[in-house]
Amino acid sequence: MTPSGFFNIRPADQNDLPGMLALYRHLNPDDPELDEELAAGRFGEMLAHPGMTIFIGAVNETTSSTVTLVTIPNLTRGGAPYALIENVVTHVRFRQRGHAGALIRHAFESAWQQGCYKVMLLTGSTNPATLKFYEGCGFVQSKTGFQIRRPREI
């Protein structure tokens, strides 16, 4: 139990879309708002996508945090899959209460149960507190990450 109520972790379902959209505003406040129909369609695709699980952290009935875990089949490491964590978000009102850490540990457990040999996470944050948080969850900054973004003209 947290100071504001019971904290519960569970996989997301279609009813979680409004709470998640509100929560994602805390991740990227400058993102344009999604059209309702587009958002519902994308969310349905995400929920049905093999190997993808969105974990919701909720205090009572309020979505406080979320983590997305994607498990990927693999032909190396004896065929053991690996996993990626994305969209780690906690509502401002619920930060510093251990919600995101609990969700990440829950995602680790799910990955290990699926036979993953590793879980990776990339962050765009350079905030020392954020990096320390991820290290405190067990992540080791041992690789170099690269990304490329889609050009605007495509």
Side-chain angles (χ1 to χ4, degrees):
M1 185 153 132
T2 67
S4 59
F6 289 97
F7 180 69
N8 179 40
I9 297 174
R10 61 177 175 72
D13 64 40
Q14 197 69 41
N15 296 321
D16 290 309
L17 179 58
M20 288 188 57
L21 290 175
L23 186 62
Y24 284 164
R25 301 299 304 160
H26 293 268
L27 178 65
N28 295 309
D30 296 329
D31 273 2
E33 287 197 36
L34 286 178
D35 170 80
E36 266 186 51
E37 192 174 311
L38 175 62
R42 285 291 152 80
F43 193 50
E45 289 174 28
M46 292 168 71
L47 293 175
H49 195 284
M52 178 180 275
T53 306
I54 303 165
F55 292 108
I56 296 288
V59 175
N60 301 323
E61 297 300 314
T62 303
T63 301
S64 67
S65 48
T66 185
V67 165
T68 300
L69 177 72
V70 181
T71 304
I72 302 164
N74 188 24
L75 289 173
T76 65
R77 304 291 181 166
Y82 60 96
L84 302 172
I85 287 182
E86 260 296 327
N87 296 334
V88 178
V89 189
T90 299
H91 189 290
V92 173
R93 210 171 80 221
F94 295 101
R95 290 186 182 160
Q96 302 297 313
R97 297 184 190 185
H99 295 192
L103 275 168
I104 287 172
R105 287 187 297 279
H106 189 84
F108 288 163
E109 193 56 40
S110 178
W112 306 150
Q113 288 174 2
Q114 295 177 66
C116 293
Y117 80 95
K118 70 177 176 182
V119 177
M120 296 184 290
L121 171 138
L122 293 173
T123 180
S125 177
T126 57
N127 181 329
T130 302
L131 303 180
K132 185 176 178 180
F133 164 74
Y134 288 129
E135 288 171 350
C137 289
F139 285 103
V140 177
Q141 196 172 10
S142 61
K143 294 202 173 211
T144 302
F146 294 90
Q147 72 169 345
I148 186 168
R149 300 224 175 198
R150 179 182 174 164
R152 290 179 185 242
E153 60 274 358
I154 291 180

